[in-house]
């Protein structure tokens, strides 16, 4: 199974030119699992702004994908949100990685928010199909296993 986590967020941009400032802001997602994860239908969310991943985007085991807030040419390891202005507040903000079913897979908060830690990720099936079960983050010190039928 693949496990996706938002591992880094850079909300600080120091460049004077706005086009450079937007690409100094970025979000990095890492697959810490042993299987490739296909991101079809997945998106990043910050408040009301969303970034849908490009079609056929996948993250191989132990690899990362960085989404820069500005504009640029996408590569296997970098995509661009396409904004003309900055998005992330360095004083405090949060971003979330959402599944194709609009379930939070991983989230990262910083600054004025409660703490700077990453919310634990859910275990994902190695394909685009919905997993048969999900291991949810600990609640009161226990893990909860939620099972459901796989979709065809």
């Amino acid at each position: 199974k693949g496990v996706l986590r938002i591992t880094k967020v850079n909300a600080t941009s120091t460049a004077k030119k706005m086009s450079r400032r937007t690409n100094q802001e970025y979000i990095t997602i890492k697959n810490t699992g042993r299987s490739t994860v296909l991101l079809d239908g997945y998106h990043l969310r910050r408040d009301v702004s969303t970034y849908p991943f490009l079609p056929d985007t996948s993250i191989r085991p132990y690899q990362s994908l960085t989404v820069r807030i500005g504009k640029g040419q996408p590569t296997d390891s970098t995509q661009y949100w396409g904004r003309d202005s900055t998005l992330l507040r360095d004083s405090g903000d949060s971003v979330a990685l959402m599944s194709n079913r609009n379930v939070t897979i991983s989230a990262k908060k910083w600054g004025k928010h409660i703490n700077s830690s990453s919310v634990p990720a859910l275990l994902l099936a190695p394909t685009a199909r919905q997993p048969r079960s999900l291991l949810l983050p600990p609640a009161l010190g226990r893990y909860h296993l939620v099972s459901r039928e796989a979709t065809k």
Side-chain angles (χ1 to χ4, degrees):
K1 292 185 178 187
V3 178
L4 297 178
R5 289 188 184 271
I6 296 175
T7 56
K8 184 166 185 177
V9 175
N10 184 40
T12 305
S13 52
T14 58
K16 291 181 182 179
K17 192 173 181 183
M18 185 57 73
S19 62
R20 289 191 179 148
R21 290 184 72 184
T22 56
N23 280 333
Q24 285 180 334
E25 290 187 350
Y26 61 86
I27 302 157
T28 301
I29 302 157
K30 184 170 186 170
N31 178 358
T32 59
R34 296 179 294 176
S35 299
T36 297
V37 178
L38 182 63
L39 297 178
D40 283 354
Y42 284 57
H43 61 278
L44 285 171
R45 184 175 70 200
R46 189 243 152 223
D47 199 21
V48 295
S49 297
T50 60
Y51 172 77
F53 293 96
L54 297 175
D56 300 320
T57 297
S58 62
I59 305 177
R60 294 185 313 227
Y62 311 108
Q63 299 298 308
S64 295
L65 174 68
T66 298
V67 177
R68 295 193 176 274
I69 303 306
K71 297 178 180 179
Q73 277 299 112
T75 66
D76 287 344
S77 61
T78 306
Q79 291 187 12
Y80 294 86
W81 197 297
R83 291 183 52 93
D84 291 319
S85 60
T86 57
L87 176 69
L88 308 173
R89 290 183 289 236
D90 58 354
S91 62
D93 212 340
S94 65
V95 293
L97 173 63
M98 308 299 291
S99 76
N100 55 358
R101 301 248 181 199
N102 213 30
V103 173
T104 301
I105 301 302
S106 179
K108 187 90 166 169
K109 298 178 182 184
W110 64 94
K112 293 179 189 174
H113 289 278
I114 299 171
N115 60 39
S116 298
S117 65
S118 179
V119 176
L122 299 175
L123 295 179
L124 304 175
T127 66
R129 291 190 178 141
Q130 190 64 17
R132 291 184 189 271
S133 62
L134 299 171
L135 187 60
L136 298 177
L140 303 174
R142 291 183 239 167
Y143 280 89
H144 302 279
L145 186 63
V146 178
S147 297
R148 65 175 121 187
E149 294 295 320
T151 58
K152 292 184 180 182

